[in-house]
Amino acid sequence: MIPAVLSDLVEFAYAHPWIVAARIAIALGLIIGVLAYRRLYMKSKQAASENAALIDHLTEGVYRSSPDGKQLSANRALVRLNGYESEAEQLAAVTDIAKEWYVDSNRRDEFKTLLEQDGQVENFVSEIYRHKTRERIWISESARIVRDPKTDEVLRYEGSVREITDSIKRFEIEERFRKLTDMLPGGLFQLVRGPDGTFTAPYVSSRFCRTVGIEETESVSNPLSYFHNIHPDDRDHYAATLRQSGTKLSTWNVEFRLAKSGEEERWLHVVAQPERSDRTITWHGYVADITVRKRQEIEIEEMAYVDPLTDLPNRRFLMDRIEQVAADCQRKKQYAAGVYVDLDHFKDLNDMHGHETGDLFLVQVADRLNEATRRGDTVARIGGDEFFVLLQPIGNEERLAKENAVSVADEILRSLREPYQIERLTYKASASLGVVVFDGITGDAEGILKQADQAMYEAKSTGRDAIGTAFASLAEDSDETTDDEVLGNQLPSAIRQRELTLQFQPQVDKRGELVGAEGFLHWLHPQQGSLPAGRFVPIARRIGVSTELDLLAIEIAIETLSIWQRSPGLQTLRLAVNAGVQFLLDERSYVQIRTMIEQHRIRPGMLTIEITEQVQRSARDVMEKQMSALKELGIRFSLDDFGSGYSSITYLRQLNFDEVKIEGAFVAGINGDEDNEALVKTILAMAGTLDITAVAEHVDNKSQQDFLRAYGCDVFQGKFYGEAMDSDVFFRYAASGGQTGGSEQSGQSELPAEADRQSS
């Protein structure tokens, strides 16, 4: 049978060969197609597997989700982001993305709305929950809609998720920092000097740019672009301090003026700390507008040195100037002179025509004195109707100097005799003049002024409208000189034998409550009795034992504090003592004071050292170092006699004083003296601005106290609260409560009678 079939097939094939070939070709084509399809299928499957692996290993989360909020797939990064171990675990846990994932569920609706509008969303920032742990994090999400190509029906969403929590926190910190820096009164900056000497600014706050008057873009390209706006007189100092800071890696601390065209002049203060890294230096700093404070300083300086009626220098300025001229004379072996001018019968003019007319007359006198003197001479008003003309060195010989001085005085006298036109009044006046010639070797400023005053009285005794003369070296008081020599010989031994003690004057606060005392040195001299500090301190300085004297005063103060701090009622009292700057220039002082404090175990913050004199700029660094070391122990420092010619705001700030003590003469002159009142107000305002304690001494009555209290004074001292008293008397006084005249409950001092007798 089979052979027959095969035979038939063979015959058919021979009869119809083309049909057989076609069938074979079709069969072969089918086989080849199937094989090719299989290869494509396997290749596609491999590509899909590779894509899936790629997606699964991305650091950014990738997902598919349904429009109704179900998650369809998630790669490994998204699984980790949500706190799960596997995709299956996450897909099983997430049932509603909107409610379970977004902190604000409305964000899902906003997300879907954007997708439907644009077909895609990029960088959609939201706060979400890390699904499993419920930790709140921030993400940036991008997605697209996948639609059915035939029906355009939305099939699913596909997208990616990136966690940006760190970026958001950093942004929040930066935004908070920006807001905080904008609230500061000044601006922060970083300034970098590269190896080639060029400057860049990695960071400047917006307040910095506003303070120095530049655009923020300028600060990056050229951080010193405001240099041309610095006042020409300040540019060299500004640049020099920056160079010095970079060379020594010391704090850059400079004050300078901005004089931008068309704007009011302003003062700026820069403080920055340099830091070296490789070949660059970076300053981290702060700039502040100190215009208001500088104006206060200038106002105080002017009030302290200038007579407000005539605009002439006052007595304080004159005393400093005499000392300077005397030093020049001594160094150059020359003579200078002073002319004391006292107007004759000035009181009669005031009585007959009033004080306003008298003031106008004094202004004209000041103008004439200025016109009658040379450039470089100093004309000062030193009293109501008294003036002083200080003549610069006027000769190398005593005789020639006297002749020149009398010649100038004669010209002044002739000028003052000319009639004055005071509004409708024509007035003729005269003056009595005293001329003093000095060489700077003998006599100090007070002595020179005193001799000129005596010479003036000699002229007045001859009938006024005349000139008297004196020479400072001939005016020494031999008795006083001899007495000083005796005390100078005895003082070193008295310091060693501790023949000195402290007397204490109470200090009270605004409520009139006792808060401390100032200790005044007294010498218990065996022959002369109790000598006040003013009698022997100048001698100590002259013979070179001022440091020993100051250290003794501090030692007695520390011993006293040790007793107070063990006594009920006295444990919170502060104690202040005076000291000159010389002890601060002696580096041994720190060790001695520290040893005293450790030995007596006192609280150093209860001790205040009052400094009066200034120190030469060349020694300022040593003094600042010593003060800083003592302040680290806790000791407080006060700038005494503030407002006088011996103190300044610059001195106050640079040396970081804790308190300022107003010059007693200003306090004593409060009642009715508008100039003094204005100066005291300004000092108190300045103390408030600098956040330091303001202390007033020589408070003698309630009206002075009330004035000081109203304008912010912190501590009060003076006769109104009690005189200085011996240690045992003050101890009993303080232990009894120390109720003072400054109290609201008392109108007069309640100082014990024994204390009152002792202090008198």
Side-chain angles (χ1 to χ4, degrees), residues 595-639:
T595 302
M596 295 175 196
I597 290 173
E598 291 172 351
Q599 178 182 352
H600 294 283
R601 299 179 181 179
I602 69 159
R603 299 194 301 277
M606 309 310 287
L607 175 64
T608 300
I609 298 177
E610 297 184 2
I611 304 293
T612 302
E613 309 99 313
Q614 290 205 40
V615 65
Q616 295 297 320
R617 187 175 297 275
S618 59
R620 185 78 54 83
D621 290 343
V622 177
M623 182 176 177
E624 184 175 2
K625 178 182 176 182
Q626 284 282 82
M627 282 183 63
S628 297
L630 290 169
K631 283 173 69 66
E632 285 182 7
L633 295 178
I635 293 173
R636 301 172 72 252
F637 280 88
S638 173
L639 183 55

Side-chain angles (χ1 to χ4, degrees), residues 356-431:
E356 184 175 349
T357 299
D359 288 347
L360 293 173
F361 168 61
L362 293 174
V363 171
Q364 291 190 32
V365 169
D367 292 339
R368 294 192 185 186
L369 290 175
N370 276 321
E371 292 172 359
T373 52
R374 307 165 300 167
R375 182 187 299 272
D377 293 340
T378 301
V379 179
R381 183 186 177 202
I382 58 176
D385 62 342
E386 297 173 326
F387 297 81
F388 193 90
V389 179
L390 177 62
L391 305 176
Q392 291 279 25
I394 53 176
N396 296 324
E397 297 180 3
E398 178 184 341
R399 179 187 57 79
L400 180 62
K402 286 182 179 180
E403 291 177 357
N404 290 337
V406 172
S407 175
V408 172
D410 190 55
E411 185 176 344
I412 289 173
L413 197 58
R414 287 199 304 271
S415 172
L416 296 179
R417 288 171 179 157
E418 294 294 323
Y420 297 83
Q421 191 64 42
I422 309 171
E423 294 182 334
R424 297 182 179 179
L425 174 67
T426 300
Y427 180 69
K428 292 194 68 175
S430 64

Side-chain angles (χ1 to χ4, degrees), residues 124 153 177 311 376 430 656:
F124 187 79
E153 179 186 357
F177 181 74
D311 284 335
S430 64
N656 196 22

Side-chain angles (χ1 to χ4, degrees), residues 630-703:
L630 290 169
K631 283 173 69 66
E632 285 182 7
L633 295 178
I635 293 173
R636 301 172 72 252
F637 280 88
S638 173
L639 183 55
D640 198 8
D641 293 339
F642 188 79
S644 71
Y646 297 102
S647 60
S648 70
I649 294 180
T650 301
Y651 193 57
L652 176 69
R653 284 178 22 264
Q654 286 182 349
L655 295 174
N656 196 22
F657 283 89
D658 301 282
E659 73 176 34
V660 57
K661 200 165 190 180
I662 304 171
E663 160 70 22
F666 299 144
V667 176
I670 281 177
N671 297 335
D673 190 324
E674 294 182 359
D675 296 332
N676 270 334
E677 290 178 359
L679 180 56
V680 171
K681 287 180 190 177
T682 306
I683 293 174
L684 291 173
M686 176 275 304
T689 301
L690 297 179
D691 193 25
I692 59 177
T693 303
V695 182
E697 59 183 349
H698 296 301
V699 182
D700 295 339
N701 55 59
K702 189 174 185 300
S703 62

Side-chain angles (χ1 to χ4, degrees), residues 181-229:
T181 56
D182 280 349
M183 294 292 290
L184 292 173
L188 304 178
F189 68 90
Q190 284 182 316
L191 181 66
V192 177
R193 188 181 71 191
D196 60 352
T198 59
F199 288 89
T200 57
Y203 171 79
V204 294
S205 67
S206 55
R207 181 58 67 92
F208 172 90
C209 295
R210 292 198 297 271
T211 301
V212 302
I214 61 174
E215 299 292 334
E216 292 193 38
T217 53
E218 290 183 86
S219 67
V220 177
S221 60
N222 182 11
L224 299 179
S225 57
Y226 61 88
F227 185 80
H228 67 281
N229 290 329

Side-chain angles (χ1 to χ4, degrees), residues 263-282:
E263 295 183 5
E264 187 176 4
E265 183 179 281
R266 295 186 296 125
W267 277 91
L268 301 185
H269 181 202
V270 167
V271 179
Q273 190 63 39
E275 178 182 27
R276 185 182 294 281
S277 176
D278 295 330
R279 298 173 63 196
T280 65
I281 297 177
T282 301

